[in-house]
Each structure stands twice: as C-alpha cells, then as structure tokens.
Amino acid sequence: MKAILKENAGPGFTMRDVNKPEKLGPRDVLVKIRRASICGTDVHIYKWDEWSQSRIKPPLIVGHEMAGEVVEVGEAVTQVKVGDLVSAETHIPCEHCYQCKTGRMHVCKNLEILGVDRNGVFTEYAVIPETVLWKFSKEIPLDFASVMEPFGNAVHTALVSDLTGKKVLITGSGPIGLMAIQVAKAAGASLVITTEVDPLRIEMAKENGADIVINPLEQDLVKSIYTITNDGVDILLEMSGNKKALEDGLKCVTMGGEASLLGIFGGSIDINLDSLVIMRGITVYGITGRRMFDTWKVADELLKNKKVDLSKVVTHVLPFDQWEKGFELMLNKKCGKVVLNLD
C-alpha cells in the first residue's frame, strides 16, 4: 500500500509502498482510509522544526485527520463493525490513569498521538484503536468528516463558554479560527470580530461570517475593539499562538470576561498576569484537543444539521498522489484546509 512517511531525520516526506498491516490487536480496527487532511502539525513535521526533532522518531507514517471505512476488527472489538464509516480522535488515551478514569481522556497522562507517536493515516490502510473511533452521521460528506478532528478543536475552544448574546473576539483566522467563527455564530454570539494579517484569510474570515475583521498590522486592535464595543468583548478565543495577539486580546476582554486559549506559543512568554488577568477578574481556559466524546457529539450534530458549512474552510480536495501540492499550498498559506482523496 502507498504511504507518506517521515523516512529520515530532516525536512520533507516520502511516498512509497509499505506492507499492509496484517496483524490486529484484540481491540484494534483496520480502517481503509478514504480521506485524509493536512494539519499544521504535519507541516511542522515536514519542516523538521525543533519540536519535531524532539518528538518524532523516523521512520513514521504521518497524518492524523481522516475519514475511512472499517474493513476488519480485532477479536475483542464491540463498538464498530465492518462497513462502518468512521473518523478518529487523534489523542489515544491509556484508559487507566487518573485523568482517563475521571472523564478527562483528552488530557491522559500517558497520551499518544496518531501520526506523531505511532503510525498515522496518510496511507491506504491504518490500524486504529477502537477507543478513539467515531461513527459519524451518514449526512456528513467524507471531505468534511476528515476534518472533524480540527473542527472539534474549534467547537471545544468556543463552547467552553456560553456564547449566547455575547461579543466574541477570535485572534487568528487560520482554518480552526475560521471554523470557530461559524461555531460562535451557531451558538448565538451577538458579534464576532476576528483578527488576521494574511489577505486570503481576511477574505475567508468574511466568507465564514465574521462581522468585523481587523488587521492588527494596520489598526490598533485594542483601540478598535473599544471603539466598536465600548466595554470590550465578553469572550476571547485565542487561535494564533502569537504573544502580541494574546496580550492585546486579553486587553480587549471586558472585566470579568473569559478567555479560551488554543494557540500554541512554542515556549515561555512574558505577559503581566496581574494587570491583564488577575486584577480584571478574567477567567482563562487552556484548551487541548477535544473532550472525548462530548465535543465529537456536538461537532457531529452541527455538521449533520448544516449549522456549519465547512465548504467555506475546505478549499482544496486533491488526489492522494498530489500530496506534495497540498503541502506546498499549506507552506505558502494559499489555502484553508487541504483534503487528500484516497478513493
């Protein structure tokens, strides 16, 4: 079968033939991958940055966002059957630690990540534990089911707070930020303001329903927000991983408001917690992954009932053998989400 691998330490990937998995563990499932989408994490591994060098152990089949069909199950599998269409939670929990036993599998102490710590889904067939498979509703197209994992990030980040009638600021309009715009609208936010510096993504933010898009390189974000809202925003959704965006975003939150942080900053950052958070009574949520499986149920319902339209985020669907073009689009930020079609 064909697979995209990080074959050696260094930049780039390789597509080559590898052996199809033959042996399943008792609770493993063999999935025929029909769609796989490219994530920012895949780009980090492709570039072989500092994080990748510390985490990835080549050779490794990469990729973690997928939609596929169950073709074989292990002897102890009870949750899925041959023929089921599934997507996958990429955080693989141990199911035994304190977090797993208390409803917090998404922050399992012994967490492994598909396509990072074990072979992933940029391949024709993948072995995935039944624990993390989600049978998505038949109304959801495969192209959209393959991005349910990052869509779940947007859902988790946005809906940790009650957005009904609230003014929301989303810093960063990458694919997850774009999805969050639609989630916030569906949840009843009264005003959704986003920030973005890239011209393509500014237009995409508008297409996805942002009421106002601010380019912080051209406008003072804090002054603009208080001019628009008078009292500031109720909720900050930080999606950029940019220190300046976080600092200014917190300044934009009204006293007693809330901030939900998904962006990854790549190291220590220096901000004044006294003046930005503590003395202003701001509640801050750290978001990682998706709650298993509360978030997945909400994501499924939003997509099934067409409350969110991911055609405004998925900009390219490419044949699997054009994966290099997909990574080129991602590296140059000329796209939203890129989906690879393996059918």
Side-chain angles (χ1 to χ4, degrees):
M1 65 179 188
K2 293 188 181 302
I4 299 171
L5 299 99
K6 171 63 75 174
E7 206 160 14
N8 301 295
F13 291 147
T14 305
M15 175 180 271
R16 65 176 178 84
D17 288 327
V18 299
N19 292 329
K20 179 182 174 182
E22 294 183 354
K23 187 176 181 181
L24 297 180
R27 297 182 62 201
D28 286 339
V29 176
L30 184 64
V31 179
K32 175 177 172 53
I33 305 300
R34 297 184 60 185
R35 301 288 189 279
S37 51
I38 301 174
C39 172
T41 300
D42 303 319
V43 175
H44 285 291
I45 300 171
Y46 181 94
K47 294 194 292 188
W48 199 238
D49 61 11
E50 186 176 348
W51 170 83
S52 302
Q53 293 173 39
S54 68
R55 184 70 178 266
I56 304 301
K57 295 178 174 57
L60 177 79
I61 297 173
V62 292
H64 56 270
E65 300 175 7
M66 55 73 68
E69 182 179 342
V70 174
V71 294
E72 186 180 344
V73 299
E75 59 187 19
V77 169
T78 60
Q79 299 176 43
V80 296
K81 64 183 184 304
V82 173
D84 283 344
L85 293 177
V86 294
S87 186
E89 167 59 56
T90 57
H91 288 185
I92 301 173
C94 71
E95 302 182 67
H96 304 296
C97 70
Y98 175 58
Q99 283 70 31
C100 285
K101 291 297 187 182
T102 53
R104 294 172 288 176
M105 286 196 297
H106 66 296
V107 287
C108 166
K109 185 169 67 176
N110 306 304
L111 189 73
E112 287 190 331
I113 299 177
L114 197 64
V116 172
D117 302 307
R118 61 169 73 187
N119 280 333
V121 302
F122 284 172
T123 183
E124 295 179 77
Y125 294 88
V127 175
I128 302 174
E130 72 163 334
T131 307
V132 298
L133 291 176
W134 175 264
K135 292 190 288 184
F136 58 86
S137 296
K138 64 181 184 303
E139 294 89 350
I140 301 174
L142 286 171
D143 293 347
F144 300 162
S146 75
V147 299
M148 283 185 74
E149 191 257 25
F151 179 55
N153 279 334
V155 170
H156 187 188
T157 307
L159 300 187
V160 73
S161 302
D162 179 5
L163 302 188
T164 308
K166 301 294 178 59
K167 299 183 291 290
V168 177
L169 170 63
I170 301 173
T171 46
S173 299
I176 296 176
L178 297 173
M179 294 174 184
I181 295 169
Q182 294 199 48
V183 174
K185 287 284 192 172
S190 59
L191 179 69
V192 177
I193 305 168
T194 65
T195 68
E196 183 53 53
V197 300
D198 180 79
L200 172 62
R201 289 182 171 174
I202 288 172
E203 290 307 310
M204 291 185 70
K206 295 174 183 176
E207 291 169 6
N208 277 272
D211 297 299
I212 299 169
V213 183
I214 295 172
N215 183 341
L217 298 181
E218 297 178 354
Q219 296 173 256
D220 184 301
L221 176 61
V222 179
K223 287 182 179 178
S224 297
I225 290 295
Y226 281 95
T227 298
I228 295 164
T229 65
N230 190 36
D231 291 320
V233 297
D234 301 294
I235 311 288
L236 166 67
L237 308 180
E238 206 309 290
M239 305 289 196
S240 70
N242 179 282
K243 181 206 168 187
K244 177 68 170 167
L246 171 63
E247 192 167 12
D248 284 352
L250 288 170
K251 290 177 182 177
C252 292
V253 178
T254 193
M255 302 204 31
E258 298 172 84
S260 188
L261 313 184
L262 179 74
I264 299 297
F265 296 88
S268 299
I269 60 171
D270 180 20
I271 63 171
N272 190 330
L273 286 175
D274 294 348
S275 63
L276 291 176
V277 176
I278 298 167
M279 300 304 293
R280 300 177 64 241
I282 306 299
T283 300
V284 178
Y285 300 97
I287 306 296
T288 182
R290 299 134 302 277
R291 293 195 66 88
M292 299 162 63
F293 279 90
D294 310 47
T295 303
W296 283 86
K297 178 59 176 173
V298 174
D300 195 290
E301 290 291 336
L302 289 171
L303 293 175
K304 178 177 71 175
N305 293 293
K306 295 181 170 53
K307 301 302 182 183
V308 170
D309 179 7
L310 292 186
S311 70
K312 297 177 181 178
V313 180
V314 176
T315 56
H316 295 79
V317 180
L318 304 173
F320 190 40
D321 60 6
Q322 291 186 25
W323 64 273
E324 290 174 294
K325 179 181 177 181
F327 274 90
E328 182 181 342
L329 288 165
M330 290 285 288
L331 287 163
N332 294 312
K333 295 185 178 180
K334 300 294 185 185
C335 59
K337 288 296 292 184
V338 176
V339 174
L340 302 175
N341 185 342
L342 284 80
D343 280 348

